[in-house]
Amino acid sequence: MTLFDLSGKTALITGSSGGLGFAMARGLAQAGAQVILHGRNQDKLHEAHLALSGEGFNVLKISFDITDEAAIEKALGNLKEDGVYVDILVNNAGMQLRKPLVELTRNEWDTVINTNLSSAFLLGRNVARQMIARGQGGKVINIGSLMSSVARPTVGAYTAAKGGVRLLTQSMAAEWAEHGIQSNAIGPGYMITEMTQPLVDDPDFNGWITGRTPSRRWGTPEDLVGTVVYLASPASNYVNGQIIYVDGGMLAVL
Ligand code: GCO
């Protein structure tokens, strides 16, 4: 067993037709895993699938609503019928909504919480049921945020959800570790993605990030690859309930 070798493993990465999810899927494929790309936009999903299979990687693709319990049940059931089991689950899909709390509607709040937190519970629960039944262990990796620990104005619902992701991860560890399942989280810092582009394009915000981050730069999706491969591999078999911040040192300094 080599510490970072994922051959023979299958990884499902939600929200992986672009951005952080695609970069992590590619990294897991490079480490030997069969990857299952996931997305709602069929064209983007098809492009991502073409890109990775074009590089010779073993790639499947799947599309379902991560907030829909029945859709999740059906999707995992279809995979099982095809003899595909998820050994590594990366709960990455999410959304942002920037609005002061006093202006936020109940519906907006629920949408952000369902997409960023409840989805990790629903998929994590269903995949863990399969992992426990198979008795071969597994890996659950939840994508948190700096907002799993700190807040900033206008992203209250997102922050509440990402805070929940951190303690959901610890709860998963508390209950699933004895079944050989390691549950951990990654807290990406400010990465240049579609979600943060409006912030990158804002000279004040952009300047604040590069000044406030010890690495003096925004992160890139590729900056997450090493950490996700580590948390997906035997190298982290005694690591459980942790969150690893990949943020250029932002949270470590005042
Ligand atoms: C924001 C950003 C952040 C990042 C990331 C930082 O509005 O501040 O969208 O939330 O996306 O989560 O860790």
Side-chain angles (χ1 to χ4, degrees):
M1 171 184 73
T2 53
L3 278 182
F4 297 98
D5 179 14
L6 300 181
S7 338
K9 301 293 182 187
T10 296
L12 168 61
I13 307 97
T14 65
S16 49
S17 46
L20 305 182
F22 181 78
M24 290 188 282
R26 189 164 177 277
L28 294 167
Q30 282 172 324
Q34 168 181 253
V35 296
I36 307 170
L37 295 172
H38 162 273
R40 300 296 305 280
N41 177 315
Q42 297 303 327
D43 297 340
K44 280 178 71 178
L45 187 58
H46 178 66
E47 287 308 310
H49 185 262
L50 271 185
L52 284 191
S53 42
E55 290 188 63
F57 296 124
N58 182 356
V59 194
L60 304 174
K61 60 183 167 69
I62 193 168
S63 186
F64 58 85
D65 177 351
I66 55 169
T67 67
D68 180 338
E69 208 164 351
I72 290 170
E73 198 88 31
K74 186 161 173 286
L76 291 175
N78 292 345
L79 286 173
K80 193 175 170 187
E81 264 164 40
D82 298 342
V84 177
Y85 285 87
V86 176
D87 301 294
I88 301 159
L89 171 64
V90 182
N91 279 313
N92 167 70
M95 63 170 288
Q96 179 59 285
L97 194 160
R98 302 187 181 96
K99 203 180 200 184
L101 285 169
V102 290
E103 294 170 23
L104 209 59
T105 67
R106 173 58 192 270
N107 187 35
E108 288 167 335
W109 169 270
D110 289 347
T111 303
V112 175
I113 297 293
N114 286 338
T115 308
N116 292 319
L117 179 58
S118 306
S119 62
F121 155 66
L122 292 171
L123 256 167
R125 177 196 65 184
N126 286 37
V127 167
R129 283 173 178 164
Q130 286 191 351
M131 289 174 173
I132 292 167
R134 279 177 85 204
Q136 296 175 14
K139 304 277 185 177
V140 175
I141 303 166
N142 297 321
I143 304 306
S145 157
L146 295 174
M147 277 74 187
S148 294
S149 274
V150 293
R152 81 173 187 89
T154 75
V155 290
Y158 180 91
T159 304
K162 292 298 187 179
V165 165
R166 178 159 61 89
L167 285 167
L168 173 64
T169 304
Q170 290 175 229
S171 304
M172 289 172 168
E175 294 186 14
W176 301 343
E178 64 184 291
H179 300 286
I181 301 170
Q182 290 82 51
S183 309
N184 292 288
I186 300 174
Y190 278 92
M191 305 277 170
I192 297 180
T193 65
E194 210 176 303
M195 183 197 275
T196 59
Q197 198 58 52
L199 304 176
V200 176
D201 299 339
D202 173 343
D204 295 338
F205 199 96
N206 189 330
W208 176 67
I209 292 293
T210 48
R212 175 74 181 71
T213 308
S215 298
R216 298 284 176 265
R217 69 169 174 88
W218 288 73
T220 67
E222 288 66 34
D223 285 320
L224 294 181
V225 169
T227 306
V228 77
V229 170
Y230 165 64
L231 291 177
S233 72
S236 60
N237 279 357
Y238 197 55
V239 178
N240 236 318
Q242 301 305 307
I243 184 164
I244 301 177
Y245 290 102
V246 182
D247 67 350
M250 190 183 237
L251 271 189
V253 301
L254 281 178

